Every structure is written in structure tokens, then in C-alpha cells.
Amino acid sequence: MKYRHLFFDLDHTLWDFDANAMETLADVYKELDLQAAGVNDFDLFCKHYLHHNAILWDRYHHGYISADDLKWKRMWRTLLEFKNGSEELARKMSGYFLEVLPTKQNLFPYTHEILRHLKEKEYKLHLITNGFEKTQWRKLDNSKLGSYFEEVITSERSNSVKPNKEIFEYALHITGAQVHESIMIGDNLDADIQGAINAGMDSIFVNHIKSDLKGVQPTYVIHHLQELETIFE
């Protein structure tokens, strides 16, 4: 067994953030009556949200903004697209969104099957996530994923964020893993793959959307979680 400790990302790798976010945005749109606030196109609202969310998560990964700024400003920037600059409404949207989002349960195909398979093979499974501690645990509990993982390392717990090598070093320390027997599995070329490279760890790029590698060199590339069975036989 070349690898013993498998470190997974959660959002966009196992837990389908975009599908769950779309359902939650529908709840936000209805509950807070955003149409009355000038947000008159739900599909466009979702498109703008996902755009600004991606930009601000990237800025958070690199330490340019705080977690609080990320949480409410993605909503505020989305509202601005509809000529509404209300910080009060944006913060209400953020609070409601973060309350409802972790209750959603959409996972990528074969998530439970592959995690069960790897546990049966006696691999030690862990999570390294930039998500927020309380939110990530609620996602894990509601989607019944928590029992698969021995350690869940969040940015809040480690006081660092991917792609900084410190969060990976913290994860190795907490789990008692050696870097040569560990591998990172995630969807984000910067946070997960370059982060693993920064820490001297092998990596698997879960390329669900068949994006360009942009010069980053993961150890493996897969397009479906079932392909992990060929790596971890």
C-alpha cells in the first residue's frame, strides 16, 4: 500500500456545492422576497452569485479578505448587479444562506460507494477543507459523510488555509501521517493540488468539469470518483 492516509477536499469534490447552492439560493430568493428588492431574474441572480463566490473564495484562499468579508460580500456584490447596494439585506441573505446550505445533501455520483470501498480497504480517510468549522460539520452530518473520516481539518481549526503548506503540515501532525504515505484529493488546482505540491505531498485532481490544468502537475487526474478504485486497489 503506497498510500495509507487519503486527505479529501469536501466542497466541489464530494459535496456538490453548486447544486446545493442553487437549491439554497432558491430558498433565499423566496424567503427574503428578493424580487421586491429588484432582483427580477432568478437564473441571473444565481449566475452572478456563483461568479462572485468563486472570486471571493480565491481571495480568501490567498489571505486577501477575511471569512466574514467572504460570507456577506458575495451576496452584496450579487445585489449590486441588480443596482441594489443594501449591506443590511446582503447580511440577511448571508445569514439565511449559511443556515440553510448545510442541510442540503447533493453529492457527486459514487461518493458513498467510493468512501465505503476505501474504508473497507483500510485506508485512513481525512478531510482538509477551507470551509467553516460549524458549516462543514453540519454538511457532513446531514449528508451522512462524517463517519467515513477520522480527522476533519478546517481552516479555522488549523489557523491556515489551502494552498498554504501550514494547513497540510498541521493535518499531517494531527493524523500522525508521513508525507510519503499521504495524498491529497481535490477539485481545486490552486488550493488542493498546488497546496499539496507546496507541502511535498502527492495529489489527485478530481476534474469533474474537465478544466485545463493551467500548468499545474497533479500526480493523477480523474474525472469521476469511481476512478479512485484503479489508484487504490
Side-chain angles (χ1 to χ4, degrees), residues 133-144:
E133 185 88 14
K134 179 182 175 182
T135 302
Q136 298 305 74
W137 272 110
R138 289 183 63 210
K139 290 176 185 175
L140 290 170
D141 289 342
N142 285 314
S143 56
K144 297 180 173 56

Side-chain angles (χ1 to χ4, degrees), residues 92-190:
K92 282 183 181 178
M93 291 165 63
S94 175
Y96 189 82
F97 182 85
L98 288 172
E99 183 63 30
V100 174
L101 180 67
T103 68
K104 305 300 182 180
Q105 301 173 22
N106 293 296
L107 304 173
F108 283 100
Y110 215 72
T111 292
H112 281 289
E113 291 86 347
I114 192 59
L115 294 176
R116 191 178 307 118
H117 170 79
L118 295 171
K119 287 286 282 188
E120 289 171 354
K121 292 284 187 177
E122 298 186 347
Y123 288 97
K124 293 184 178 297
L125 309 184
H126 315 286
L127 279 174
I128 304 179
T129 169
N130 281 350
F132 311 116
E133 185 88 14
K134 179 182 175 182
T135 302
Q136 298 305 74
W137 272 110
R138 289 183 63 210
K139 290 176 185 175
L140 290 170
D141 289 342
N142 285 314
S143 56
K144 297 180 173 56
L145 294 179
S147 62
Y148 296 112
F149 300 102
E150 298 190 16
E151 292 287 348
V152 176
I153 295 94
T154 65
S155 54
E156 288 179 82
R157 179 181 177 187
S158 65
N159 199 31
S160 184
V161 296
K162 299 179 289 184
N164 296 339
K165 68 177 182 178
E166 287 80 8
I167 190 171
F168 294 91
E169 292 171 346
Y170 178 86
L172 293 171
H173 172 72
I174 288 296
T175 59
Q178 300 296 313
V179 70
H180 67 269
E181 63 179 0
S182 304
I183 192 165
M184 180 69 204
I185 304 163
D187 74 290
N188 189 296
L189 282 170
D190 184 31

